[in-house]
Amino acid sequence: MGRRSDHSREELQAMIIEATLTLVRDRGADKVTARQIATAVGYTPGMLYSVFINLQDIFLHVNEIGLRTLHALCAEAVSENATPEEAIKAMGLAYLRFAGTHTHQFDLMFTRSIQQPEMPPPGLDNQIRTLFELVEFQLRRLNASATDEEVHLGARALWSGVHGTAALRLSDQLYLDAPDADRDIVELLVTSFVQYWRA
Amino acid sequence: MGRRSDHSREELQAMIIEATLTLVRDRGADKVTARQIATAVGYTPGMLYSVFINLQDIFLHVNEIGLRTLHALCAEAVSENATPEEAIKAMGLAYLRFAGTHTHQFDLMFTRSIQQPEMPPPGLDNQIRTLFELVEFQLRRLNASATDEEVHLGARALWSGVHGTAALRLSDQLYLDAPDADRDIVELLVTSFVQYWRA
DNA sequence: CATGAAATTGAACAATGTTTAATAAAAAGG
DNA sequence: CCTTTTTATTAAACATTGTTCAATTTCATG
């Protein structure tokens, strides 16, 4: 059969990404196949390649969504009149919570083998940067006399800790006594860094 | 052809792991195929399955080596008469250096999709624990009045930071100005935490 | 109504991990 | 030293994978 034209190109693109997202959420990215995605949207595998370059390209677009929601969750986590320290803690815990609830998605976003794509979807980098900026903003509030470079570095140090906690916990490599001790780790990390940052 | 018996079972196991290790080092784990390993050791792919359960099993044994060298490098990095802070810094930088030089190996060890193996090779867990113990030892030296639980948590907080830095840097998600600013991050992380830990 | 363009398919391709019956060689037994 | 048994290894097959592309069917246009 030829053209069905039930859907425009953009609709198809959205459907594919949406379908892939739910498949990833259910079974994890490495169990998601092109044929699964195709049947999920009611087409044949070949069609996918008229909309995307390849599977990796689709996953990249799925990650774009993941980063958006992760950013939103972190931003929402800080309450109106929170101190900078509270804000950073809240964001760190939100990050951790996302990793715990959207396990497979987080896995696809971060703990996947390293191979830079030919043409990364625009705005993917900037979105990660935006995440850092949330922390940078609070660090500035906390210490107005810090230089740009100090803020830049501080945010990355702090966030490396949060990310590392989430990543190691996800792969069960933290060897914690209590099951939710990862939250304690993030709080400890933030407390100690903020105390240093103030001085 | 039937039995060649050029090599004992243990020899074969060692050869396979060794061959896989160099293949991983060269091209990265996801580009290593069963047939490549087989030809590297001068056999056919089927033979691998009389020694190991499957490919993942082989990779797990490769990781055992990786963890051993990583541990060794961290342990060696602390000089004889170093202060605890210097020691931790040195270990953190060694960790970072390993991630940079043994990129694909580090990738296989940590930033790989999460799926617990049926039968993890014995001693793999304990080896990660041993890495933490290196840090715990220094934290104890630094503050003798800390409880076991505090030391446990502190070491994990500190190491999450180091690991997170290495992991994010490897996937180019730190967005650093200077190429070796990751070292600065680790130093900042250690300095700030140690200062908090002392008090 | 016919012609063209375009979307979608279906079937193929090469490569993957893994299984298994056949086979070659060594070991054991007489 | 020949025969038998055991065992290591292979060769070939299998099901799936991502990806490509000529063929086909449908829509839009003249």
Side-chain angles (χ1 to χ4, degrees):
Chain A
M1 309 135 203
R3 160 199 317 189
R4 305 178 16 165
S5 117
D6 295 339
H7 309 283
S8 74
R9 183 115 297 180
E10 290 81 15
E11 281 175 326
L12 277 182
Q13 174 165 347
M15 289 167 60
I16 293 173
I17 295 177
E18 170 70 21
T20 307
L21 174 59
T22 62
L23 283 172
V24 167
R25 282 247 269 269
D26 287 6
R27 40 198 100 172
D30 36 55
K31 300 222 168 311
V32 173
T33 74
R35 294 181 226 281
Q36 284 174 6
I37 302 175
T39 51
V41 295
Y43 284 81
T44 44
M47 185 271 284
L48 304 177
Y49 295 85
S50 71
V51 183
F52 292 98
I53 304 171
N54 51 25
L55 260 195
Q56 212 212 120
D57 187 25
I58 299 181
F59 284 136
L60 245 38
H61 281 80
V62 168
N63 277 350
E64 221 177 335
I65 296 186
L67 274 174
R68 238 195 300 276
T69 60
L70 179 53
H71 178 96
L73 287 175
C74 285
E76 290 170 13
V78 326
S79 39
E80 192 62 44
N81 43 5
T83 68
E85 179 167 0
E86 289 169 343
I88 296 178
K89 252 178 203 160
M91 292 194 293
L93 292 178
Y95 196 93
L96 214 61
R97 192 162 41 243
F98 177 88
T101 54
H102 303 67
T103 317
H104 291 302
Q105 230 180 320
F106 186 88
D107 182 45
L108 177 60
M109 287 159 62
F110 294 110
T111 79
R112 234 45 195 341
S113 130
I114 24 142
Q115 35 184 338
Q116 255 58 336
E118 314 288 313
M119 236 282 285
L124 225 171
D125 321 0
N126 282 340
Q127 224 143 11
I128 305 190
R129 264 204 192 83
T130 315
L131 248 169
F132 279 124
E133 281 167 10
L134 288 180
V135 186
E136 290 175 0
F137 176 75
Q138 301 295 340
L139 286 184
R140 264 185 240 278
R141 276 183 66 197
L142 211 47
N143 185 345
S145 65
T147 69
D148 282 2
E149 200 186 325
E150 285 173 333
V151 171
H152 185 92
L153 224 65
R156 270 137 191 88
L158 203 33
W159 221 241
S160 289
V162 173
H163 175 78
T165 308
L168 286 178
R169 195 214 115 109
L170 227 71
S171 48
D172 258 327
Q173 285 170 329
L174 272 181
Y175 300 103
L176 303 169
D177 304 326
D180 59 344
D182 50 349
R183 311 180 99 250
D184 296 340
I185 292 182
V186 165
E187 294 197 7
L188 176 56
L189 223 31
V190 175
T191 308
S192 68
F193 186 82
V194 163
Q195 192 170 92
Y196 170 87
W197 185 257
R198 274 210 188 89
Chain B
M1 310 128 202
R3 156 196 325 189
R4 305 180 14 168
S5 118
D6 295 338
H7 308 283
S8 74
R9 182 114 297 178
E10 290 80 16
E11 282 177 326
L12 276 182
Q13 175 164 347
M15 288 167 61
I16 293 173
I17 295 177
E18 170 70 22
T20 308
L21 175 58
T22 60
L23 282 173
V24 166
R25 283 245 271 267
D26 287 6
R27 41 198 100 174
D30 35 54
K31 301 223 168 313
V32 173
T33 73
R35 296 185 223 288
Q36 285 174 5
I37 302 174
T39 51
V41 295
Y43 284 80
T44 44
M47 187 271 284
L48 303 178
Y49 294 84
S50 69
V51 183
F52 293 98
I53 305 172
N54 49 29
L55 260 196
Q56 210 212 121
D57 188 26
I58 300 180
F59 284 135
L60 245 37
H61 281 81
V62 168
N63 277 349
E64 222 177 334
I65 296 185
L67 274 173
R68 239 195 301 277
T69 59
L70 179 52
H71 178 98
L73 287 175
C74 286
E76 288 169 14
V78 328
S79 41
E80 192 63 42
N81 43 5
T83 68
E85 177 167 359
E86 289 169 345
I88 297 178
K89 251 176 205 161
M91 293 193 292
L93 292 177
Y95 196 93
L96 214 59
R97 191 162 42 243
F98 177 88
T101 54
H102 303 68
T103 316
H104 292 301
Q105 231 180 319
F106 187 88
D107 182 45
L108 178 60
M109 288 159 61
F110 294 111
T111 79
R112 236 36 198 344
S113 125
I114 25 141
Q115 36 185 334
Q116 255 56 336
E118 315 287 313
M119 237 281 286
L124 224 171
D125 320 359
N126 282 338
Q127 226 144 10
I128 304 189
R129 264 205 194 81
T130 316
L131 247 170
F132 279 123
E133 281 166 11
L134 288 179
V135 186
E136 291 176 0
F137 177 75
Q138 301 295 340
L139 285 185
R140 264 185 241 278
R141 278 182 65 198
L142 211 47
N143 185 348
S145 66
T147 69
D148 281 3
E149 200 187 324
E150 286 173 334
V151 171
H152 185 89
L153 224 65
R156 271 139 191 87
L158 203 33
W159 220 241
S160 288
V162 173
H163 175 77
T165 309
L168 285 178
R169 194 214 115 107
L170 226 72
S171 47
D172 258 326
Q173 286 170 326
L174 272 181
Y175 301 102
L176 303 168
D177 303 327
D180 59 344
D182 49 349
R183 311 180 101 251
D184 296 339
I185 292 183
V186 165
E187 293 198 7
L188 175 56
L189 222 32
V190 174
T191 308
S192 67
F193 187 82
V194 162
Q195 190 170 91
Y196 169 86
W197 186 256
R198 275 210 186 89

